Amino acid sequence: MAAFVGVSAFSAARVSSAAVCRSSKVVMAADVERSASVPFLSKPVNLDGSLAGDVGFDPLGLSNYISLRYLAESEIKHGRICMLAALGFMVQEFVHLPGPEFSEKLATQAVYRVPTGGLWQIFIACGIAEFIGHRGKMTYMEISKDKGTPGAMGFDPLNLGKNPESFKRFQLNEVKNGRLAMIAVGGFIHQMFITKQGVFEQLGNFKPLSY
């Protein structure tokens, strides 16, 4: 009988200990701050909300290994390029430069019509713009040491950044529109590859995919 009581007491202690462990884990999990954009993931440590458009989205943990300013500037730069590209994708359906090499309405096909010299001009111009924008710095280690505002290149002909509050709003607007443009350009490219139609052409003459 004493042995039975001893075993029962030991079992009860083990159950109680396991319950305490489980409850402590639940409390610890509840204390972890969650990402605002991905609630089932914990908030990235280095994303403190100080940068425009920061909503705690970093599921791959890139901010743990790469300079946050470098990542922010890369996003802004790609967003700006895609905003221009999205406009170009749509305008190209209706407006062309003189000459047969510029008559292609699909951007995915037009790149193959551009003379080799023209492509080199584009690459060289991009390289010069990058060189000037980073003030001659060429490597990630050099660029990541910059402490300025990501994306700030001193270009504000309309003085939109004169008011600090308005400037913050414009910064957020740029990031949001840049993200939307990156998604849009990806959609435009795949649409043109699959349907062989321009953006507006497909809107007016929608063709479902055939299997």
Side-chain angles (χ1 to χ4, degrees):
M1 183 65 179
F4 177 75
V5 172
V7 172
S8 300
F10 180 70
S11 300
R14 291 183 60 186
V15 171
S16 176
S17 176
V20 170
C21 291
R22 283 197 298 270
S23 62
S24 63
K25 289 180 180 179
V26 170
V27 172
M28 291 176 64
D31 290 340
V32 174
E33 188 175 1
R34 296 297 177 182
S35 167
S37 58
V38 191
F40 55 85
L41 295 178
S42 59
K43 179 182 177 182
V45 177
N46 294 323
L47 298 184
D48 56 3
S50 60
L51 294 175
D54 179 4
V55 291
F57 183 81
D58 186 17
L60 299 180
L62 297 178
S63 60
N64 294 328
Y65 309 100
I66 304 176
S67 163
L68 191 58
R69 184 193 176 281
Y70 182 87
L71 291 172
E73 182 152 346
S74 297
E75 180 184 37
I76 292 171
K77 184 182 299 181
H78 284 83
R80 289 170 177 171
I81 292 172
C82 285
M83 284 189 279
L84 292 172
L87 179 63
F89 269 78
M90 293 183 284
V91 170
Q92 185 169 317
E93 288 190 52
F94 309 103
V95 181
H96 308 280
L97 294 174
E101 63 271 21
F102 300 110
S103 61
E104 179 60 59
K105 66 178 180 180
L106 297 181
T108 51
Q109 298 297 322
V111 67
Y112 301 109
R113 302 284 294 274
V114 179
T116 304
L119 289 175
W120 276 109
Q121 290 175 9
I122 295 173
F123 290 141
I124 292 173
C126 290
I128 293 174
E130 287 286 285
F131 186 80
I132 295 174
H134 291 297
R135 296 178 292 279
K137 297 178 180 179
M138 301 293 290
T139 66
Y140 164 75
M141 297 303 296
E142 293 177 323
I143 296 172
S144 62
K145 292 179 181 178
D146 288 340
K147 302 299 182 183
T149 303
M153 302 182 67
F155 181 78
D156 187 14
L158 301 179
N159 289 321
L160 297 177
K162 192 172 183 180
N163 184 313
E165 291 301 320
S166 297
F167 184 61
K168 287 183 180 180
R169 187 173 70 253
F170 289 134
Q171 283 182 308
L172 180 59
N173 290 345
E174 180 182 38
V175 172
K176 286 184 175 181
N177 283 282
R179 290 170 178 171
L180 179 62
M182 286 188 277
I183 295 173
V185 167
F188 290 168
I189 292 174
H190 286 82
Q191 167 197 314
M192 291 182 182
F193 276 140
I194 295 171
T195 68
K196 306 301 181 185
Q197 293 179 315
V199 178
F200 291 103
E201 182 183 8
Q202 190 189 41
L203 287 176
N205 183 30
F206 181 76
K207 293 181 180 179
L209 297 178
S210 57
Y211 297 95

